[in-house]
Amino acid sequence: MITRSRGLLSSLLSSTSLLANAKPTSSPIPFPPFQSFQRPSFFHGANGASGFLGSHRNYSLLSLNDLRDNIPRKQKTRKGRGIGSGKGKTAGRGHKGQKARGTHKFGFEGGQTPMRRRLPKRGFKNPFSLTFQPCGLGKIARLINAGKIDSHELITMKTLKDTGAIGKQIEDGVRLMGRGCEHIVWPIHIEVSRTTVRAKAAVEAAGGSVRRVHYNKLGLRALLKPEWFEKKGRLLPRPARPPPKLKHKVDSIGRLPAPTKPIPFYIVENEGDEKVVGAEESPQLTD
Protein backbone atom coordinates (compact mmCIF):
# COMPACT_ATOMS: atom_id res chain seq x y z
CA MET A 1 0.00 0.00 0.00
CA ILE A 2 2.84 2.35 0.91
CA THR A 3 4.68 1.47 -2.31
CA ARG A 4 1.61 2.28 -4.41
CA SER A 5 1.11 5.68 -2.75
CA ARG A 6 4.78 6.57 -3.24
CA GLY A 7 4.64 5.63 -6.91
CA LEU A 8 1.49 7.75 -7.40
CA LEU A 9 3.13 10.72 -5.71
CA SER A 10 6.26 10.48 -7.86
CA SER A 11 4.22 10.29 -11.07
CA LEU A 12 2.25 13.37 -10.11
CA LEU A 13 5.45 15.31 -9.36
CA SER A 14 6.98 14.36 -12.68
CA SER A 15 3.88 15.36 -14.64
CA THR A 16 3.74 18.75 -12.94
CA SER A 17 7.43 19.41 -13.69
CA LEU A 18 6.88 18.55 -17.36
CA LEU A 19 3.92 20.92 -17.58
CA ALA A 20 5.95 23.70 -15.93
CA ASN A 21 8.84 23.33 -18.42
CA ALA A 22 6.59 22.93 -21.44
CA LYS A 23 6.81 25.58 -24.18
CA PRO A 24 3.89 25.42 -26.57
CA THR A 25 4.80 26.19 -30.16
CA SER A 26 1.35 27.37 -31.18
CA SER A 27 -0.33 30.60 -30.13
CA PRO A 28 -1.98 30.69 -26.68
CA ILE A 29 -5.42 29.20 -26.50
CA PRO A 30 -8.06 31.95 -26.20
CA PHE A 31 -10.60 31.78 -23.37
CA PRO A 32 -13.68 29.98 -24.71
CA PRO A 33 -17.02 31.74 -24.68
CA PHE A 34 -19.81 30.93 -22.24
CA GLN A 35 -20.91 27.27 -22.51
CA SER A 36 -18.69 26.55 -25.56
CA PHE A 37 -16.49 23.61 -26.50
CA GLN A 38 -12.88 23.63 -27.74
CA ARG A 39 -11.21 20.83 -29.68
CA PRO A 40 -8.34 19.02 -27.94
CA SER A 41 -4.81 20.08 -28.95
CA PHE A 42 -1.25 18.78 -28.36
CA PHE A 43 1.75 20.64 -27.06
CA HIS A 44 5.49 19.87 -27.35
CA GLY A 45 7.78 20.73 -24.49
CA ALA A 46 11.48 20.55 -23.76
CA ASN A 47 13.42 17.24 -23.94
CA GLY A 48 10.85 15.83 -26.32
CA ALA A 49 8.05 16.05 -23.76
CA SER A 50 4.55 16.29 -25.15
CA GLY A 51 1.11 16.37 -23.63
CA PHE A 52 -2.58 16.49 -24.39
CA LEU A 53 -4.84 19.44 -23.56
CA GLY A 54 -8.33 18.08 -23.20
CA SER A 55 -11.53 19.93 -24.01
CA HIS A 56 -13.04 22.10 -21.31
CA ARG A 57 -16.40 23.76 -20.88
CA ASN A 58 -17.67 26.76 -18.92
CA TYR A 59 -20.77 26.24 -16.81
CA SER A 60 -23.01 28.77 -15.12
CA LEU A 61 -23.38 28.67 -11.36
CA LEU A 62 -27.07 27.82 -11.69
CA SER A 63 -28.62 25.21 -13.93
CA LEU A 64 -31.96 23.43 -14.06
CA ASN A 65 -30.62 20.15 -12.71
CA ASP A 66 -29.22 21.94 -9.63
CA LEU A 67 -32.53 23.45 -8.51
CA ARG A 68 -33.87 22.12 -5.23
CA ASP A 69 -35.91 23.21 -2.25
CA ASN A 70 -34.50 25.38 0.48
CA ILE A 71 -33.31 22.63 2.79
CA PRO A 72 -32.19 23.80 6.25
CA ARG A 73 -28.60 23.04 7.17
CA LYS A 74 -29.48 21.93 10.68
CA GLN A 75 -31.84 18.99 10.82
CA LYS A 76 -34.65 18.81 13.34
CA THR A 77 -33.71 17.19 16.64
CA ARG A 78 -35.40 13.80 17.03
CA LYS A 79 -35.98 13.23 20.72
CA GLY A 80 -36.41 9.87 22.39
CA ARG A 81 -34.54 7.88 19.71
CA GLY A 82 -31.89 6.22 21.87
CA ILE A 83 -28.97 7.33 24.00
CA GLY A 84 -26.70 7.65 20.98
CA SER A 85 -28.58 10.74 19.77
CA GLY A 86 -27.97 12.61 23.02
CA LYS A 87 -31.69 13.24 23.40
CA GLY A 88 -32.88 9.80 24.39
CA LYS A 89 -34.66 8.56 27.50
CA THR A 90 -35.57 11.85 29.22
CA ALA A 91 -35.24 13.78 25.92
CA GLY A 92 -33.60 16.77 27.55
CA ARG A 93 -36.28 17.25 30.24
CA GLY A 94 -34.27 15.93 33.15
CA HIS A 95 -35.54 13.60 35.88
CA LYS A 96 -39.03 13.91 37.34
CA GLY A 97 -40.77 17.12 38.25
CA GLN A 98 -43.66 19.05 36.79
CA LYS A 99 -41.68 20.29 33.78
CA ALA A 100 -40.62 16.74 32.91
CA ARG A 101 -44.12 15.27 33.05
CA GLY A 102 -46.31 17.76 31.21
CA THR A 103 -47.20 21.38 30.50
CA HIS A 104 -48.57 24.11 32.73
CA LYS A 105 -50.77 27.12 32.19
CA PHE A 106 -49.19 30.16 30.55
CA GLY A 107 -48.10 32.61 33.24
CA PHE A 108 -48.07 29.99 36.01
CA GLU A 109 -45.29 30.76 38.48
CA GLY A 110 -45.36 27.69 40.70
CA GLY A 111 -48.22 28.74 42.95
CA GLN A 112 -47.16 32.25 43.86
CA THR A 113 -49.22 35.24 42.77
CA PRO A 114 -48.45 35.70 39.07
CA MET A 115 -47.33 38.97 37.53
CA ARG A 116 -50.68 39.65 35.87
CA ARG A 117 -52.33 39.71 39.31
CA ARG A 118 -49.57 41.57 41.13
CA LEU A 119 -49.78 44.61 38.84
CA PRO A 120 -52.70 47.02 39.45
CA LYS A 121 -55.26 47.97 36.83
CA ARG A 122 -55.29 51.47 35.40
CA GLY A 123 -58.23 53.04 33.60
CA PHE A 124 -60.68 51.32 31.27
CA LYS A 125 -61.59 51.10 27.61
CA ASN A 126 -64.94 52.56 26.64
CA PRO A 127 -66.63 50.15 24.18
CA PHE A 128 -69.00 52.91 23.02
CA SER A 129 -66.34 55.50 22.15
CA LEU A 130 -66.34 56.94 18.62
CA THR A 131 -63.32 58.19 16.67
CA PHE A 132 -63.88 61.04 14.22
CA GLN A 133 -61.33 62.37 11.77
CA PRO A 134 -60.95 66.17 12.05
CA CYS A 135 -61.30 68.48 9.07
CA GLY A 136 -60.77 72.26 9.30
CA LEU A 137 -62.71 74.92 7.43
CA GLY A 138 -59.47 76.45 6.18
CA LYS A 139 -58.61 73.30 4.23
CA ILE A 140 -62.09 73.22 2.70
CA ALA A 141 -61.73 76.89 1.67
CA ARG A 142 -58.38 76.17 -0.04
CA LEU A 143 -59.90 73.27 -1.99
CA ILE A 144 -62.81 75.47 -3.07
CA ASN A 145 -60.40 78.16 -4.27
CA ALA A 146 -58.41 75.50 -6.14
CA GLY A 147 -61.56 74.33 -7.93
CA LYS A 148 -61.55 70.83 -6.45
CA ILE A 149 -64.79 71.37 -4.48
CA ASP A 150 -67.90 73.00 -5.90
CA SER A 151 -69.36 75.32 -3.27
CA HIS A 152 -72.75 75.30 -5.00
CA GLU A 153 -73.25 71.59 -4.28
CA LEU A 154 -73.63 69.75 -1.01
CA ILE A 155 -70.28 68.86 0.60
CA THR A 156 -70.44 65.38 2.09
CA MET A 157 -67.86 63.17 3.75
CA LYS A 158 -67.38 61.39 0.43
CA THR A 159 -66.56 64.74 -1.19
CA LEU A 160 -63.97 65.45 1.49
CA LYS A 161 -62.42 62.00 1.06
CA ASP A 162 -62.28 62.15 -2.75
CA THR A 163 -60.68 65.60 -2.79
CA GLY A 164 -58.05 64.75 -0.16
CA ALA A 165 -59.38 67.01 2.61
CA ILE A 166 -59.29 64.00 4.96
CA GLY A 167 -57.42 60.72 4.99
CA LYS A 168 -58.73 57.41 3.72
CA GLN A 169 -58.88 55.74 7.15
CA ILE A 170 -62.23 57.01 8.45
CA GLU A 171 -63.41 55.00 11.45
CA ASP A 172 -66.70 56.52 12.64
CA GLY A 173 -67.04 59.75 10.67
CA VAL A 174 -65.70 63.30 10.29
CA ARG A 175 -65.67 66.17 12.77
CA LEU A 176 -65.77 69.70 11.32
CA MET A 177 -63.29 71.99 13.07
CA GLY A 178 -63.13 75.79 13.15
CA ARG A 179 -59.50 76.15 12.06
CA GLY A 180 -59.32 78.73 9.26
CA CYS A 181 -62.96 79.77 9.62
CA GLU A 182 -62.07 83.33 8.59
CA HIS A 183 -61.55 82.10 5.01
CA ILE A 184 -65.21 81.06 4.64
CA VAL A 185 -66.81 84.11 3.00
CA TRP A 186 -69.46 82.36 0.84
CA PRO A 187 -72.36 80.10 1.80
CA ILE A 188 -71.60 76.37 1.81
CA HIS A 189 -73.69 73.39 2.88
CA ILE A 190 -71.89 70.55 4.65
CA GLU A 191 -72.97 67.18 6.06
CA VAL A 192 -70.59 65.67 8.63
CA SER A 193 -70.85 63.46 11.68
CA ARG A 194 -69.95 66.07 14.29
CA THR A 195 -69.07 69.76 14.35
CA THR A 196 -67.71 72.27 16.80
CA VAL A 197 -69.62 75.35 17.93
CA ARG A 198 -67.08 77.67 16.30
CA ALA A 199 -67.22 75.92 12.93
CA LYS A 200 -71.02 75.85 12.87
CA ALA A 201 -71.27 79.53 13.77
CA ALA A 202 -68.76 80.51 11.06
CA VAL A 203 -70.60 78.58 8.32
CA GLU A 204 -74.01 79.91 9.35
CA ALA A 205 -72.65 83.46 9.54
CA ALA A 206 -71.65 83.15 5.87
CA GLY A 207 -75.17 82.01 4.93
CA GLY A 208 -74.51 78.26 4.81
CA SER A 209 -75.60 75.29 6.90
CA VAL A 210 -73.99 72.39 8.74
CA ARG A 211 -75.94 69.20 9.34
CA ARG A 212 -74.85 66.38 11.62
CA VAL A 213 -75.84 63.07 10.06
CA HIS A 214 -75.64 59.56 11.51
CA TYR A 215 -74.08 56.59 9.71
CA ASN A 216 -73.29 53.23 11.22
CA LYS A 217 -70.25 51.22 10.13
CA LEU A 218 -71.98 49.64 7.15
CA GLY A 219 -73.66 52.87 6.11
CA LEU A 220 -70.38 54.77 6.24
CA ARG A 221 -68.80 52.17 3.95
CA ALA A 222 -71.72 52.47 1.55
CA LEU A 223 -71.28 56.26 1.52
CA LEU A 224 -67.51 56.27 0.97
CA LYS A 225 -67.12 53.13 -1.18
CA PRO A 226 -70.33 52.38 -3.07
CA GLU A 227 -68.32 50.56 -5.76
CA TRP A 228 -67.51 47.85 -3.20
CA PHE A 229 -71.18 46.84 -3.02
CA GLU A 230 -71.46 46.91 -6.81
CA LYS A 231 -68.41 44.67 -7.13
CA LYS A 232 -69.88 42.18 -4.65
CA GLY A 233 -73.26 42.27 -6.37
CA ARG A 234 -74.99 43.59 -3.25
CA LEU A 235 -77.54 46.35 -2.78
CA LEU A 236 -76.82 49.42 -0.72
CA PRO A 237 -78.02 49.06 2.88
CA ARG A 238 -80.88 51.05 4.30
CA PRO A 239 -79.91 54.09 6.39
CA ALA A 240 -79.66 53.20 10.06
CA ARG A 241 -81.30 55.19 12.84
CA PRO A 242 -79.06 56.46 15.63
CA PRO A 243 -79.28 54.78 19.04
CA PRO A 244 -81.31 56.63 21.70
CA LYS A 245 -78.20 57.96 23.45
CA LEU A 246 -76.98 59.65 20.25
CA LYS A 247 -80.24 61.24 19.11
CA HIS A 248 -79.42 64.58 20.68
CA LYS A 249 -76.00 64.64 18.95
CA VAL A 250 -77.26 64.32 15.35
CA ASP A 251 -79.73 66.25 13.23
CA SER A 252 -80.89 63.57 10.79
CA ILE A 253 -80.25 60.11 9.41
CA GLY A 254 -77.55 59.76 6.77
CA ARG A 255 -78.77 59.30 3.21
CA LEU A 256 -77.58 56.68 0.73
CA PRO A 257 -76.22 56.95 -1.89
CA ALA A 258 -74.25 60.17 -1.36
CA PRO A 259 -76.70 63.10 -1.63
CA THR A 260 -76.11 66.17 -3.78
CA LYS A 261 -78.63 68.61 -2.27
CA PRO A 262 -78.91 69.70 1.37
CA ILE A 263 -81.84 68.99 3.65
CA PRO A 264 -83.68 72.14 4.85
CA PHE A 265 -83.87 73.07 8.51
CA TYR A 266 -87.30 73.87 9.94
CA ILE A 267 -87.25 76.63 12.57
CA VAL A 268 -90.55 77.32 14.32
CA GLU A 269 -90.92 81.05 14.94
CA ASN A 270 -94.57 81.25 15.98
CA GLU A 271 -97.39 78.79 16.27
CA GLY A 272 -98.42 77.77 12.77
CA ASP A 273 -95.52 79.63 11.11
CA GLU A 274 -92.39 77.84 9.94
CA LYS A 275 -89.26 79.24 8.37
CA VAL A 276 -87.45 76.94 5.96
CA VAL A 277 -83.66 77.17 5.66
CA GLY A 278 -82.31 74.94 2.90
CA ALA A 279 -82.92 73.90 -0.67
CA GLU A 280 -85.02 70.74 -0.70
CA GLU A 281 -87.74 69.29 1.49
CA SER A 282 -86.86 66.00 3.16
CA PRO A 283 -88.01 64.00 6.20
CA GLN A 284 -86.38 64.98 9.47
CA LEU A 285 -85.27 62.95 12.43
CA THR A 286 -88.03 63.14 15.05
CA ASP A 287 -88.02 61.85 18.57
Side-chain angles (χ1 to χ4, degrees), residues 115-157:
M115 181 68 70
R116 59 182 176 82
R117 293 179 56 190
R118 292 200 300 268
L119 297 177
K121 295 182 180 179
R122 290 288 184 269
F124 74 102
K125 183 178 179 181
N126 185 9
F128 303 103
S129 63
L130 301 176
T131 304
F132 300 104
Q133 190 168 150
C135 180
L137 287 175
K139 185 177 292 185
I140 297 176
R142 287 195 299 270
L143 292 174
I144 292 175
N145 292 330
K148 296 182 179 181
I149 295 180
D150 189 1
S151 61
H152 299 88
E153 295 183 356
L154 177 64
I155 302 174
T156 61
M157 289 182 282

Side-chain angles (χ1 to χ4, degrees), residues 132-133 135 154-167 170 172-176 190-194 211-216 219-220 223-224 254-255 258-259:
F132 300 104
Q133 190 168 150
C135 180
L154 177 64
I155 302 174
T156 61
M157 289 182 282
K158 179 175 174 56
T159 307
L160 299 176
K161 174 179 173 293
D162 295 341
T163 55
I166 55 177
I170 304 174
D172 298 305
V174 179
R175 184 189 299 274
L176 186 64
I190 309 177
E191 283 191 0
V192 289
S193 301
R194 299 289 188 274
R211 179 173 291 275
R212 301 170 300 174
V213 292
H214 173 75
Y215 288 99
N216 58 357
L220 192 62
L223 174 70
L224 301 176
R255 295 175 288 172

Side-chain angles (χ1 to χ4, degrees), residues 1-24:
M1 185 69 181
I2 298 175
T3 306
R4 182 182 299 177
S5 62
R6 288 180 178 176
L8 180 61
L9 180 61
S10 62
S11 63
L12 289 175
L13 291 175
S14 63
S15 62
T16 53
S17 62
L18 290 176
L19 290 175
N21 298 327
K23 296 180 180 180

Side-chain angles (χ1 to χ4, degrees), residues 201-232:
V203 173
E204 291 179 350
S209 63
V210 179
R211 179 173 291 275
R212 301 170 300 174
V213 292
H214 173 75
Y215 288 99
N216 58 357
K217 289 284 188 179
L218 188 63
L220 192 62
R221 175 185 287 187
L223 174 70
L224 301 176
K225 297 181 179 179
E227 62 276 1
W228 184 86
F229 292 84
E230 183 179 356
K231 181 179 178 181
K232 297 290 184 179

